[in-house]
Amino acid sequence: MYDEDDLAEIQESREEWEEETLDPVLDRFGERKDRFATVSNLEVDRLYDPTDVADLDYGEDLGNPGEYPYTRGPYPTMYRGRTWTMRQFAGFGTAEETNERFHFLVDEGQTGLSTAFDMPSLMGLDSDDPMADGEVGKEGVAVDTLRDMEILFDGIDVGEVSTSFTINPSAAVVYGMYVAIADQQGVPREELRGTLQNDMLKEFIAQKEWVIPPEPSLDIVTDTIEYAAAETPKLKPVSVSGYHIREAGSTAIQELAFTLADGFAYVEDAMDRGLDVDEFAPQLSFFFNSHNSIFEEVAKFRAARRIYARVMNEWYGAEDERSLQLKFHTQTAGQSLTAQQPMNNVVRVTIQALAGVLGGTQSLHTNSFDEALALPSEDAVRVALRTQQIIAEESGAADSVDPLAGSFMVESLTEETEEKAMAYIEEIKELGDGSVRDGVLAGIEEGYFHREIQEASYEYQSRVEDEEEVVVGVNKYTMDQDTRPELLHVDEETQDRQLARLAEVKEERDDDAVEAALDELREVVERGDNVMPAIVDAVKAYATMGEIMGVFEAKHGGYRETVGVV
């Protein structure tokens, strides 16, 4: 973007500025600290200028919005056309309570639903399983059978709303239930919109929720990708999720690299299944964390789009522009929230949300200020949603496409992030002897990801404890007063109500139809066929979550990770 003479002149001017203007000020006043760095510990230079982006090629590296390599966004108008989807996470107690929260959020202006499930549902257990005792409805909504899903979406037209489901080991069952709800409502399956998280590779890397081992888990994810391409082309069957990798303690670069590697692993597995890349890739989506270092996050999002476009084209031969466009959901950083002085979290979330918007996210969840203490209250949820609405309507951040493009700092960080993330991806590919999928699976089995994240997490916590990393209200500007707000409590009768409904469903359903559906699922699993049609039939017979997932566990067994420590 600059010729050599221009760069030489800029460099000479920079050196003169340092000697004549900067040095006298440094000698007299110094700076706040010896080293400035991002949350991920990337060093931040005092000043950025054209010499930091001397190798940047506008056409090759940036381009225009809506054009390859999509650094500046997947759409030409971005938020000037319409704003991102405002998708607040919701789910607690029984289906009735969460349905009420859904309606509240829609009435407050939310433009998409996002469903949180309780731990038994996440782990493929029924509410009456002994392992579920005390956890029913506590961190999300309890869903045992199609009856719960019917209540959850009572009064909600699934043909009109986009719904996200944050669930992984048992995601295929929830997907089957959602398809069944569409059939009940008379909504054509091809009109269903939304996103299934369904990212099992991330579970083995970071979040640690699983039922069966990695390879059969990957097979089921690919089944959903194949089924969605044929049956629900507007629904995203997998949201490749870096969010939880970051929450586990990774750096921004590790989050980006490991997430994209997981995505490429799903691409390779689906292609090995015989699917054409352009048949399914447009339905893949991604999910990133947005932390406190605003420019690092913006750079991460821009580098993500550029890496994805290039790799999908050059490694996998994708040609459809929709296959090259990385589209992602963003959630503000839960691990950054503090129980101390929780109202400070409103400010943190605002900064993080703004980073997501400036980075070009397609949908956004803003955490509630009380989430370090409990499930969010209605008041806290409203503030979180209003934060998005103020950014969209009042800040001006949504008025221009990629407004930070051309910033020497942002472009330099984008290049650095891309370079370091690609080094990780190449390393993972080498673990798999040329296959990213095999490299991810090998990395899981060998504890590679665990060690990398553990080391990064340890280093960050050490910086916090040494006060090198400031956390306002925790290691600086602390208070002795009790600052806890009024919290949401899930009453202990929730479990009793859920158990009563489950017992009622089991009493009323046709046991012969249930057993026939489960037998068919067992046969499909034995044959190695796509399991989704059999799952849809099983949920329509009101087979339970635990009964369906039990078929897979009986076939593949459980899984226990073996990893070393740093």
Side-chain angles (χ1 to χ4, degrees):
M1 293 177 65
Y2 298 87
D3 64 30
E4 291 185 7
D5 290 341
D6 288 336
L7 291 171
E9 186 176 332
I10 291 167
Q11 180 62 36
E12 183 179 349
S13 173
R14 169 78 170 264
E15 291 170 357
E16 289 178 2
W17 170 80
E18 289 176 347
E19 182 179 346
E20 298 174 8
T21 304
L22 174 64
D23 287 347
V25 174
L26 289 178
D27 290 341
R28 185 174 180 187
F29 300 108
E31 291 181 323
R32 287 187 290 117
K33 50 188 177 180
D34 293 334
R35 183 175 182 272
F36 291 81
T38 67
V39 170
S40 299
N41 208 29
L42 282 183
E43 189 157 358
V44 176
D45 293 342
R46 177 182 294 109
L47 182 70
Y48 292 84
D49 63 29
T51 62
D52 293 290
V53 292
D55 297 330
L56 188 70
D57 183 297
Y58 185 86
E60 290 292 320
D61 298 323
L62 294 181
N64 295 312
E67 294 181 352
Y68 188 88
Y70 306 104
T71 309
R72 304 198 64 190
Y75 304 116
T77 59
M78 289 300 287
Y79 309 136
R80 289 173 68 97
R82 67 180 180 89
T83 60
W84 60 94
T85 301
M86 299 180 192
R87 195 189 296 279
Q88 291 301 119
F89 206 34
F92 63 95
T94 62
E96 289 92 345
E97 293 165 295
T98 299
N99 175 263
E100 184 178 343
R101 178 65 66 87
F102 278 173
H103 284 284
F104 166 80
L105 287 167
V106 170
D107 290 344
E108 292 291 337
Q110 180 168 303
T111 54
L113 299 177
S114 183
T115 315
F117 295 88
D118 70 359
M119 185 57 72
S121 300
L122 292 174
M123 298 301 294
L125 299 172
D126 292 334
S127 295
D128 59 4
D129 190 291
M131 291 289 290
D133 188 27
E135 293 291 338
V136 176
K138 286 296 178 69
E139 66 174 42
V141 63
V143 172
D144 293 313
T145 69
L146 181 59
R147 181 71 51 80
D148 295 308
M149 193 71 88
E150 291 165 350
I151 296 167
L152 191 61
F153 288 94
D154 183 37
I156 296 171
D157 184 345
V158 299
E160 295 295 326
V161 70
S162 171
T163 306
S164 173
F165 297 100
T166 302
I167 195 164
N168 295 282
S170 49
V173 182
V174 166
Y175 180 25
M177 290 179 180
Y178 200 53
V179 169
I181 289 294
D183 291 349
Q184 283 186 0
Q185 293 188 2
V187 174
R189 293 180 179 182
E190 59 268 22
E191 295 303 315
L192 272 182
R193 293 179 298 120
T195 304
L196 197 65
Q197 189 166 108
N198 195 28
D199 179 5
M200 281 310 302
L201 294 175
K202 166 266 300 176
E203 290 297 326
F204 293 103
I205 289 172
Q207 186 155 276
K208 311 299 184 181
E209 292 171 4
W210 55 69
V211 175
I212 58 178
E215 290 198 45
S217 293
L218 176 57
D219 288 339
I220 296 174
V221 174
T222 305
D223 283 353
T224 64
I225 292 171
E226 182 178 42
Y227 185 83
E231 295 287 328
T232 60
K234 292 183 179 179
L235 187 141
K236 309 289 189 183
V238 59
S239 176
V240 191
S241 302
Y243 183 84
H244 309 88
I245 293 171
R246 189 68 176 277
E247 291 289 287
S250 79
T251 66
I253 289 169
Q254 289 171 336
E255 176 199 356
L256 175 57
F258 298 167
T259 304
L260 291 180
D262 287 349
F264 299 144
Y266 292 127
V267 168
E268 290 182 7
D269 205 64
M271 291 178 70
D272 284 354
R273 179 78 63 93
L275 297 178
D276 181 88
V277 65
D278 288 323
E279 180 182 357
F280 66 87
Q283 286 179 268
L284 298 178
S285 66
F286 289 77
F287 174 18
F288 290 111
N289 195 299
S290 189
H291 215 293
N292 289 333
S293 293
I294 188 168
F295 300 113
E296 176 176 61
E297 296 304 313
V298 171
K300 179 184 73 181
F301 299 136
R302 299 171 83 250
R305 283 191 291 267
R306 192 153 74 203
I307 293 171
Y308 188 75
R310 288 171 171 169
V311 169
M312 289 297 288
N313 176 250
E314 295 169 12
W315 291 9
Y316 303 117
E319 297 178 354
D320 188 325
E321 66 176 19
R322 297 172 305 154
S323 302
L324 306 175
Q325 296 167 340
L326 183 143
K327 298 171 185 175
F328 63 92
H329 170 71
T330 304
Q331 182 174 338
T332 56
Q335 60 135 247
S336 75
L337 303 182
T338 63
Q340 303 91 329
Q341 303 177 38
M343 292 305 296
N344 293 343
N345 295 327
V346 176
V347 182
R348 292 187 178 99
V349 166
T350 302
I351 292 168
Q352 295 161 7
L354 182 60
V357 171
L358 293 174
T361 190
Q362 277 58 71
S363 66
L364 179 63
H365 165 86
T366 35
N367 289 331
S368 299
F369 64 81
D370 55 359
E371 287 188 45
L373 296 162
L375 291 173
S377 66
E378 280 195 359
D379 286 343
V381 166
R382 185 185 290 109
V383 170
L385 179 57
R386 292 288 184 261
T387 300
Q388 294 201 47
Q389 292 164 337
I390 290 169
I391 291 172
E393 305 290 348
E394 297 185 26
S395 74
D399 294 350
S400 180
V401 180
D402 193 22
L404 293 183
S407 156
F408 304 131
M409 178 180 185
V410 169
E411 298 299 356
S412 179
L413 284 173
T414 301
E415 285 195 85
E416 182 178 8
T417 300
E418 178 183 17
E419 179 183 346
K420 291 183 175 180
M422 277 305 302
Y424 262 122
I425 292 168
E426 293 284 4
E427 184 176 356
I428 293 165
K429 190 176 182 182
E430 288 179 14
L431 283 175
D433 294 325
S435 164
V436 178
R437 178 196 58 193
D438 292 349
V440 169
L441 290 172
I444 289 169
E445 292 297 336
E446 296 171 13
Y448 167 81
F449 299 105
H450 178 93
R451 290 190 297 272
E452 290 290 321
I453 295 170
Q454 183 183 44
E455 183 174 351
S457 178
Y458 175 80
E459 289 178 356
Y460 172 78
Q461 187 59 34
S462 296
R463 294 198 304 275
V464 171
E465 292 177 4
D466 293 341
E467 298 185 13
E468 180 183 341
E469 192 86 40
V470 172
V471 181
V472 173
V474 175
N475 64 2
K476 196 172 184 180
Y477 312 114
T478 58
M479 295 171 58
D480 293 331
Q481 298 97 312
D482 183 3
T483 57
R484 290 164 61 92
E486 186 174 341
L487 302 177
L488 173 72
H489 294 280
V490 177
D491 69 67
E492 297 304 321
E493 294 178 0
T494 294
Q495 180 165 310
D496 295 335
R497 293 194 297 270
Q498 185 64 23
L499 291 176
R501 176 157 54 239
L502 178 56
E504 181 181 337
V505 170
K506 287 183 175 180
E507 179 66 27
E508 294 177 353
R509 68 186 185 177
D510 183 333
D511 289 341
D512 291 338
V514 171
E515 195 53 44
L518 292 174
D519 284 342
E520 173 60 22
L521 178 59
R522 292 184 189 99
E523 292 177 11
V524 167
V525 172
E526 286 293 334
R527 291 196 303 267
D529 293 343
N530 191 303
V531 300
M532 279 309 304
I535 288 177
V536 172
D537 290 342
V539 300
K540 286 184 174 182
Y542 292 90
T544 70
M545 174 78 77
E547 289 168 340
I548 294 170
M549 291 304 298
V551 171
F552 296 103
E553 192 167 10
K555 168 63 177 176
H556 301 293
Y559 176 74
R560 183 183 298 274
E561 66 176 345
T562 54
V563 295
V565 295
V566 174

